[in-house]
PDB file of all heavy atoms in Angstrom:
ATOM      1  N   GLY U   1     -20.403-189.462 141.465  1.00  0.00           N
ATOM      2  CA  GLY U   1     -20.159-188.122 142.067  1.00  0.00           C
ATOM      3  C   GLY U   1     -19.684-187.195 140.889  1.00  0.00           C
ATOM      4  O   GLY U   1     -20.121-186.007 140.919  1.00  0.00           O
ATOM      5  N   VAL U   2     -18.929-187.675 140.012  1.00  0.00           N
ATOM      6  CA  VAL U   2     -18.447-186.774 138.928  1.00  0.00           C
ATOM      7  C   VAL U   2     -19.631-186.440 137.989  1.00  0.00           C
ATOM      8  O   VAL U   2     -19.809-185.209 137.674  1.00  0.00           O
ATOM      9  CB  VAL U   2     -17.423-187.461 137.957  1.00  0.00           C
ATOM     10  CG1 VAL U   2     -17.083-186.672 136.711  1.00  0.00           C
ATOM     11  CG2 VAL U   2     -16.175-187.690 138.687  1.00  0.00           C
ATOM     12  N   ARG U   3     -20.471-187.482 137.785  1.00  0.00           N
ATOM     13  CA  ARG U   3     -21.712-187.110 136.809  1.00  0.00           C
ATOM     14  C   ARG U   3     -22.655-186.178 137.537  1.00  0.00           C
ATOM     15  O   ARG U   3     -23.192-185.323 136.959  1.00  0.00           O
ATOM     16  CB  ARG U   3     -22.362-188.431 136.479  1.00  0.00           C
ATOM     17  CG  ARG U   3     -21.598-189.200 135.491  1.00  0.00           C
ATOM     18  CD  ARG U   3     -22.382-190.299 134.898  1.00  0.00           C
ATOM     19  NE  ARG U   3     -23.039-191.155 135.909  1.00  0.00           N
ATOM     20  CZ  ARG U   3     -22.563-192.311 136.319  1.00  0.00           C
ATOM     21  NH1 ARG U   3     -21.300-192.786 135.856  1.00  0.00           N
ATOM     22  NH2 ARG U   3     -23.111-193.149 137.208  1.00  0.00           N
ATOM     23  N   ASN U   4     -22.863-186.337 138.867  1.00  0.00           N
ATOM     24  CA  ASN U   4     -23.746-185.406 139.655  1.00  0.00           C
ATOM     25  C   ASN U   4     -23.283-183.969 139.732  1.00  0.00           C
ATOM     26  O   ASN U   4     -24.037-183.042 139.599  1.00  0.00           O
ATOM     27  CB  ASN U   4     -24.098-186.064 141.013  1.00  0.00           C
ATOM     28  CG  ASN U   4     -25.023-187.319 141.100  1.00  0.00           C
ATOM     29  OD1 ASN U   4     -25.650-187.528 140.008  1.00  0.00           O
ATOM     30  ND2 ASN U   4     -24.885-187.975 142.059  1.00  0.00           N
ATOM     31  N   ARG U   5     -22.064-183.813 140.006  1.00  0.00           N
ATOM     32  CA  ARG U   5     -21.393-182.571 139.986  1.00  0.00           C
ATOM     33  C   ARG U   5     -21.362-181.860 138.738  1.00  0.00           C
ATOM     34  O   ARG U   5     -21.841-180.582 138.666  1.00  0.00           O
ATOM     35  CB  ARG U   5     -19.870-182.697 140.499  1.00  0.00           C
ATOM     36  CG  ARG U   5     -19.232-181.483 140.826  1.00  0.00           C
ATOM     37  CD  ARG U   5     -17.772-181.648 141.415  1.00  0.00           C
ATOM     38  NE  ARG U   5     -17.513-183.056 141.760  1.00  0.00           N
ATOM     39  CZ  ARG U   5     -16.300-183.507 141.813  1.00  0.00           C
ATOM     40  NH1 ARG U   5     -15.274-182.838 141.219  1.00  0.00           N
ATOM     41  NH2 ARG U   5     -16.115-184.682 142.208  1.00  0.00           N
ATOM     42  N   LEU U   6     -21.267-182.580 137.709  1.00  0.00           N
ATOM     43  CA  LEU U   6     -21.256-181.793 136.327  1.00  0.00           C
ATOM     44  C   LEU U   6     -22.784-181.480 136.025  1.00  0.00           C
ATOM     45  O   LEU U   6     -23.191-180.450 135.450  1.00  0.00           O
ATOM     46  CB  LEU U   6     -20.621-182.673 135.294  1.00  0.00           C
ATOM     47  CG  LEU U   6     -19.213-182.795 135.370  1.00  0.00           C
ATOM     48  CD1 LEU U   6     -18.575-183.819 134.355  1.00  0.00           C
ATOM     49  CD2 LEU U   6     -18.456-181.492 135.265  1.00  0.00           C
ATOM     50  N   ALA U   7     -23.697-182.380 136.420  1.00  0.00           N
ATOM     51  CA  ALA U   7     -25.104-182.170 136.016  1.00  0.00           C
ATOM     52  C   ALA U   7     -25.590-181.045 136.867  1.00  0.00           C
ATOM     53  O   ALA U   7     -26.474-180.322 136.352  1.00  0.00           O
ATOM     54  CB  ALA U   7     -25.819-183.432 136.297  1.00  0.00           C
ATOM     55  N   ALA U   8     -25.214-180.731 138.098  1.00  0.00           N
ATOM     56  CA  ALA U   8     -25.580-179.635 138.854  1.00  0.00           C
ATOM     57  C   ALA U   8     -25.332-178.275 138.120  1.00  0.00           C
ATOM     58  O   ALA U   8     -26.026-177.375 138.504  1.00  0.00           O
ATOM     59  CB  ALA U   8     -24.934-179.668 140.249  1.00  0.00           C
ATOM     60  N   VAL U   9     -24.369-178.260 137.345  1.00  0.00           N
ATOM     61  CA  VAL U   9     -23.974-176.958 136.626  1.00  0.00           C
ATOM     62  C   VAL U   9     -24.507-177.039 135.122  1.00  0.00           C
ATOM     63  O   VAL U   9     -24.140-176.028 134.407  1.00  0.00           O
ATOM     64  CB  VAL U   9     -22.538-176.635 136.768  1.00  0.00           C
ATOM     65  CG1 VAL U   9     -22.098-176.431 138.129  1.00  0.00           C
ATOM     66  CG2 VAL U   9     -21.591-177.597 136.042  1.00  0.00           C
ATOM     67  N   GLY U  10     -25.301-178.124 134.827  1.00  0.00           N
ATOM     68  CA  GLY U  10     -25.802-178.209 133.470  1.00  0.00           C
ATOM     69  C   GLY U  10     -25.083-178.963 132.392  1.00  0.00           C
ATOM     70  O   GLY U  10     -25.286-178.852 131.225  1.00  0.00           O
ATOM     71  N   ILE U  11     -23.994-179.661 132.864  1.00  0.00           N
ATOM     72  CA  ILE U  11     -23.246-180.575 131.970  1.00  0.00           C
ATOM     73  C   ILE U  11     -23.714-181.871 132.099  1.00  0.00           C
ATOM     74  O   ILE U  11     -23.378-182.621 133.018  1.00  0.00           O
ATOM     75  CB  ILE U  11     -21.753-180.277 132.280  1.00  0.00           C
ATOM     76  CG1 ILE U  11     -21.263-178.883 132.093  1.00  0.00           C
ATOM     77  CG2 ILE U  11     -20.886-181.260 131.336  1.00  0.00           C
ATOM     78  CD1 ILE U  11     -19.893-178.619 132.466  1.00  0.00           C
ATOM     79  N   TYR U  12     -24.568-182.364 131.082  1.00  0.00           N
ATOM     80  CA  TYR U  12     -25.000-183.684 131.126  1.00  0.00           C
ATOM     81  C   TYR U  12     -25.168-184.135 129.629  1.00  0.00           C
ATOM     82  O   TYR U  12     -25.267-183.314 128.760  1.00  0.00           O
ATOM     83  CB  TYR U  12     -26.415-183.790 131.877  1.00  0.00           C
ATOM     84  CG  TYR U  12     -27.332-182.656 131.442  1.00  0.00           C
ATOM     85  CD1 TYR U  12     -28.200-182.823 130.405  1.00  0.00           C
ATOM     86  CD2 TYR U  12     -27.358-181.507 132.147  1.00  0.00           C
ATOM     87  CE1 TYR U  12     -29.069-181.935 129.992  1.00  0.00           C
ATOM     88  CE2 TYR U  12     -28.270-180.426 131.839  1.00  0.00           C
ATOM     89  CZ  TYR U  12     -29.083-180.682 130.705  1.00  0.00           C
ATOM     90  OH  TYR U  12     -29.945-179.712 130.245  1.00  0.00           O
ATOM     91  N   PRO U  13     -25.274-185.408 129.314  1.00  0.00           N
ATOM     92  CA  PRO U  13     -25.600-185.852 127.821  1.00  0.00           C
ATOM     93  C   PRO U  13     -26.688-185.129 127.271  1.00  0.00           C
ATOM     94  O   PRO U  13     -27.757-184.978 127.864  1.00  0.00           O
ATOM     95  CB  PRO U  13     -25.832-187.285 128.064  1.00  0.00           C
ATOM     96  CG  PRO U  13     -25.054-187.697 129.279  1.00  0.00           C
ATOM     97  CD  PRO U  13     -25.281-186.596 130.246  1.00  0.00           C
ATOM     98  N   GLY U  14     -26.439-184.544 126.009  1.00  0.00           N
ATOM     99  CA  GLY U  14     -27.544-183.759 125.329  1.00  0.00           C
ATOM    100  C   GLY U  14     -27.367-182.250 125.367  1.00  0.00           C
ATOM    101  O   GLY U  14     -27.882-181.581 124.615  1.00  0.00           O
ATOM    102  N   ALA U  15     -26.647-181.910 126.503  1.00  0.00           N
ATOM    103  CA  ALA U  15     -26.471-180.346 126.750  1.00  0.00           C
ATOM    104  C   ALA U  15     -25.474-179.867 125.732  1.00  0.00           C
ATOM    105  O   ALA U  15     -24.517-180.453 125.317  1.00  0.00           O
ATOM    106  CB  ALA U  15     -26.080-180.171 128.058  1.00  0.00           C
ATOM    107  N   ARG U  16     -25.624-178.607 125.393  1.00  0.00           N
ATOM    108  CA  ARG U  16     -24.590-177.949 124.575  1.00  0.00           C
ATOM    109  C   ARG U  16     -23.776-176.995 125.538  1.00  0.00           C
ATOM    110  O   ARG U  16     -24.312-176.232 126.355  1.00  0.00           O
ATOM    111  CB  ARG U  16     -25.374-177.063 123.649  1.00  0.00           C
ATOM    112  CG  ARG U  16     -26.028-178.048 122.377  1.00  0.00           C
ATOM    113  CD  ARG U  16     -26.443-177.405 121.213  1.00  0.00           C
ATOM    114  NE  ARG U  16     -26.910-178.350 120.343  1.00  0.00           N
ATOM    115  CZ  ARG U  16     -27.241-178.110 119.097  1.00  0.00           C
ATOM    116  NH1 ARG U  16     -27.123-176.839 118.674  1.00  0.00           N
ATOM    117  NH2 ARG U  16     -27.519-179.001 118.257  1.00  0.00           N
ATOM    118  N   VAL U  17     -22.496-176.916 125.194  1.00  0.00           N
ATOM    119  CA  VAL U  17     -21.546-176.154 125.995  1.00  0.00           C
ATOM    120  C   VAL U  17     -20.713-175.303 124.936  1.00  0.00           C
ATOM    121  O   VAL U  17     -20.208-175.902 124.031  1.00  0.00           O
ATOM    122  CB  VAL U  17     -20.689-177.190 126.763  1.00  0.00           C
ATOM    123  CG1 VAL U  17     -19.546-176.487 127.489  1.00  0.00           C
ATOM    124  CG2 VAL U  17     -21.568-177.910 127.749  1.00  0.00           C
ATOM    125  N   LYS U  18     -20.336-174.099 125.376  1.00  0.00           N
ATOM    126  CA  LYS U  18     -19.407-173.275 124.648  1.00  0.00           C
ATOM    127  C   LYS U  18     -18.065-173.337 125.289  1.00  0.00           C
ATOM    128  O   LYS U  18     -17.972-173.106 126.488  1.00  0.00           O
ATOM    129  CB  LYS U  18     -19.824-171.931 124.455  1.00  0.00           C
ATOM    130  CG  LYS U  18     -19.057-171.033 123.477  1.00  0.00           C
ATOM    131  CD  LYS U  18     -19.577-169.639 123.136  1.00  0.00           C
ATOM    132  CE  LYS U  18     -18.555-169.051 122.152  1.00  0.00           C
ATOM    133  NZ  LYS U  18     -19.097-167.763 121.933  1.00  0.00           N
ATOM    134  N   VAL U  19     -16.904-173.684 124.576  1.00  0.00           N
ATOM    135  CA  VAL U  19     -15.660-173.573 125.059  1.00  0.00           C
ATOM    136  C   VAL U  19     -15.179-172.120 124.972  1.00  0.00           C
ATOM    137  O   VAL U  19     -14.875-171.582 123.876  1.00  0.00           O
ATOM    138  CB  VAL U  19     -14.715-174.558 124.347  1.00  0.00           C
ATOM    139  CG1 VAL U  19     -13.335-174.642 124.983  1.00  0.00           C
ATOM    140  CG2 VAL U  19     -15.282-175.923 124.317  1.00  0.00           C
ATOM    141  N   ILE U  20     -14.838-171.644 126.156  1.00  0.00           N
ATOM    142  CA  ILE U  20     -14.319-170.210 126.277  1.00  0.00           C
ATOM    143  C   ILE U  20     -12.847-170.167 126.245  1.00  0.00           C
ATOM    144  O   ILE U  20     -12.339-169.322 125.615  1.00  0.00           O
ATOM    145  CB  ILE U  20     -14.960-169.643 127.619  1.00  0.00           C
ATOM    146  CG1 ILE U  20     -16.417-169.679 127.635  1.00  0.00           C
ATOM    147  CG2 ILE U  20     -14.416-168.204 127.708  1.00  0.00           C
ATOM    148  CD1 ILE U  20     -17.098-168.904 126.405  1.00  0.00           C
ATOM    149  N   LYS U  21     -12.192-170.995 127.148  1.00  0.00           N
ATOM    150  CA  LYS U  21     -10.758-171.063 127.285  1.00  0.00           C
ATOM    151  C   LYS U  21     -10.256-172.394 127.484  1.00  0.00           C
ATOM    152  O   LYS U  21     -10.763-173.247 128.121  1.00  0.00           O
ATOM    153  CB  LYS U  21     -10.199-170.105 128.489  1.00  0.00           C
ATOM    154  CG  LYS U  21      -8.834-169.891 128.554  1.00  0.00           C
ATOM    155  CD  LYS U  21      -8.488-169.170 129.733  1.00  0.00           C
ATOM    156  CE  LYS U  21      -7.002-168.976 130.017  1.00  0.00           C
ATOM    157  NZ  LYS U  21      -6.275-170.259 130.128  1.00  0.00           N
ATOM    158  N   THR U  22      -9.081-172.694 126.736  1.00  0.00           N
ATOM    159  CA  THR U  22      -8.420-173.898 126.970  1.00  0.00           C
ATOM    160  C   THR U  22      -7.145-173.873 127.574  1.00  0.00           C
ATOM    161  O   THR U  22      -6.611-172.779 127.734  1.00  0.00           O
ATOM    162  CB  THR U  22      -8.268-174.647 125.532  1.00  0.00           C
ATOM    163  OG1 THR U  22      -7.558-173.846 124.693  1.00  0.00           O
ATOM    164  CG2 THR U  22      -9.620-174.850 124.842  1.00  0.00           C
ATOM    165  N   PRO U  23      -6.533-174.933 128.135  1.00  0.00           N
ATOM    166  CA  PRO U  23      -5.182-174.890 128.715  1.00  0.00           C
ATOM    167  C   PRO U  23      -4.190-174.229 127.894  1.00  0.00           C
ATOM    168  O   PRO U  23      -4.390-174.279 126.595  1.00  0.00           O
ATOM    169  CB  PRO U  23      -4.914-176.275 129.055  1.00  0.00           C
ATOM    170  CG  PRO U  23      -6.237-176.973 129.152  1.00  0.00           C
ATOM    171  CD  PRO U  23      -7.031-176.253 128.157  1.00  0.00           C
ATOM    172  N   PRO U  24      -3.116-173.626 128.359  1.00  0.00           N
ATOM    173  CA  PRO U  24      -2.734-173.503 129.757  1.00  0.00           C
ATOM    174  C   PRO U  24      -3.747-172.731 130.624  1.00  0.00           C
ATOM    175  O   PRO U  24      -4.344-171.825 130.177  1.00  0.00           O
ATOM    176  CB  PRO U  24      -1.346-172.930 129.801  1.00  0.00           C
ATOM    177  CG  PRO U  24      -1.353-172.164 128.551  1.00  0.00           C
ATOM    178  CD  PRO U  24      -2.340-172.871 127.536  1.00  0.00           C
ATOM    179  N   GLY U  25      -3.712-172.957 131.873  1.00  0.00           N
ATOM    180  CA  GLY U  25      -4.633-172.363 132.802  1.00  0.00           C
ATOM    181  C   GLY U  25      -5.839-173.327 132.897  1.00  0.00           C
ATOM    182  O   GLY U  25      -5.982-174.317 132.393  1.00  0.00           O
ATOM    183  N   PRO U  26      -6.861-172.647 133.553  1.00  0.00           N
ATOM    184  CA  PRO U  26      -8.181-173.484 133.708  1.00  0.00           C
ATOM    185  C   PRO U  26      -8.856-173.562 132.385  1.00  0.00           C
ATOM    186  O   PRO U  26      -8.796-172.834 131.635  1.00  0.00           O
ATOM    187  CB  PRO U  26      -8.931-172.590 134.743  1.00  0.00           C
ATOM    188  CG  PRO U  26      -8.373-171.226 134.467  1.00  0.00           C
ATOM    189  CD  PRO U  26      -6.793-171.386 134.179  1.00  0.00           C
ATOM    190  N   PHE U  27      -9.576-174.695 132.318  1.00  0.00           N
ATOM    191  CA  PHE U  27     -10.463-174.897 131.233  1.00  0.00           C
ATOM    192  C   PHE U  27     -11.913-174.431 131.497  1.00  0.00           C
ATOM    193  O   PHE U  27     -12.416-174.682 132.414  1.00  0.00           O
ATOM    194  CB  PHE U  27     -10.608-176.513 131.025  1.00  0.00           C
ATOM    195  CG  PHE U  27     -11.156-176.883 129.666  1.00  0.00           C
ATOM    196  CD1 PHE U  27     -10.406-177.035 128.619  1.00  0.00           C
ATOM    197  CD2 PHE U  27     -12.501-177.171 129.532  1.00  0.00           C
ATOM    198  CE1 PHE U  27     -10.981-177.438 127.381  1.00  0.00           C
ATOM    199  CE2 PHE U  27     -12.983-177.458 128.358  1.00  0.00           C
ATOM    200  CZ  PHE U  27     -12.328-177.687 127.328  1.00  0.00           C
ATOM    201  N   ILE U  28     -12.203-173.366 130.639  1.00  0.00           N
ATOM    202  CA  ILE U  28     -13.590-172.522 131.032  1.00  0.00           C
ATOM    203  C   ILE U  28     -14.509-172.883 129.985  1.00  0.00           C
ATOM    204  O   ILE U  28     -14.194-172.654 128.763  1.00  0.00           O
ATOM    205  CB  ILE U  28     -13.162-171.148 131.244  1.00  0.00           C
ATOM    206  CG1 ILE U  28     -12.178-170.887 132.250  1.00  0.00           C
ATOM    207  CG2 ILE U  28     -14.469-170.274 131.488  1.00  0.00           C
ATOM    208  CD1 ILE U  28     -11.741-169.423 132.484  1.00  0.00           C
ATOM    209  N   VAL U  29     -15.753-173.259 130.474  1.00  0.00           N
ATOM    210  CA  VAL U  29     -16.826-173.506 129.561  1.00  0.00           C
ATOM    211  C   VAL U  29     -18.062-172.672 130.013  1.00  0.00           C
ATOM    212  O   VAL U  29     -18.152-172.118 131.047  1.00  0.00           O
ATOM    213  CB  VAL U  29     -17.248-175.039 129.582  1.00  0.00           C
ATOM    214  CG1 VAL U  29     -16.211-175.828 128.960  1.00  0.00           C
ATOM    215  CG2 VAL U  29     -17.631-175.344 130.872  1.00  0.00           C
ATOM    216  N   GLU U  30     -18.895-172.400 128.963  1.00  0.00           N
ATOM    217  CA  GLU U  30     -20.098-171.581 129.356  1.00  0.00           C
ATOM    218  C   GLU U  30     -21.381-172.515 129.045  1.00  0.00           C
ATOM    219  O   GLU U  30     -21.440-173.076 128.028  1.00  0.00           O
ATOM    220  CB  GLU U  30     -20.202-170.333 128.396  1.00  0.00           C
ATOM    221  CG  GLU U  30     -21.401-169.422 128.656  1.00  0.00           C
ATOM    222  CD  GLU U  30     -21.524-168.223 127.808  1.00  0.00           C
ATOM    223  OE1 GLU U  30     -21.959-168.344 126.650  1.00  0.00           O
ATOM    224  OE2 GLU U  30     -20.954-167.170 128.248  1.00  0.00           O
ATOM    225  N   VAL U  31     -22.239-172.571 130.022  1.00  0.00           N
ATOM    226  CA  VAL U  31     -23.372-173.371 129.966  1.00  0.00           C
ATOM    227  C   VAL U  31     -24.554-172.442 130.385  1.00  0.00           C
ATOM    228  O   VAL U  31     -24.544-171.991 131.558  1.00  0.00           O
ATOM    229  CB  VAL U  31     -23.302-174.596 130.959  1.00  0.00           C
ATOM    230  CG1 VAL U  31     -24.484-175.388 130.763  1.00  0.00           C
ATOM    231  CG2 VAL U  31     -21.981-175.440 130.687  1.00  0.00           C
ATOM    232  N   ALA U  32     -25.560-172.425 129.561  1.00  0.00           N
ATOM    233  CA  ALA U  32     -26.811-171.621 129.761  1.00  0.00           C
ATOM    234  C   ALA U  32     -26.506-170.158 130.355  1.00  0.00           C
ATOM    235  O   ALA U  32     -27.047-169.785 131.385  1.00  0.00           O
ATOM    236  CB  ALA U  32     -27.641-172.452 130.748  1.00  0.00           C
TER     237      ALA U  32
END
């Protein structure tokens, strides 16, 4: 379930992600 939920938004092994914001607050990433 976790892997499928993340894959649905483009987060899967091999993908590149930019970290926009870290805690405190929500952890925000940019994908594609």
Side-chain angles (χ1 to χ4, degrees):
V2 171
R3 291 194 306 265
N4 287 343
R5 189 174 340 146
L6 291 174
V9 296
I11 300 175
Y12 50 84
R16 291 193 176 188
V17 173
K18 183 173 182 182
V19 179
I20 303 298
K21 184 181 177 306
T22 59
F27 192 87
I28 300 176
V29 296
E30 183 175 88
V31 183

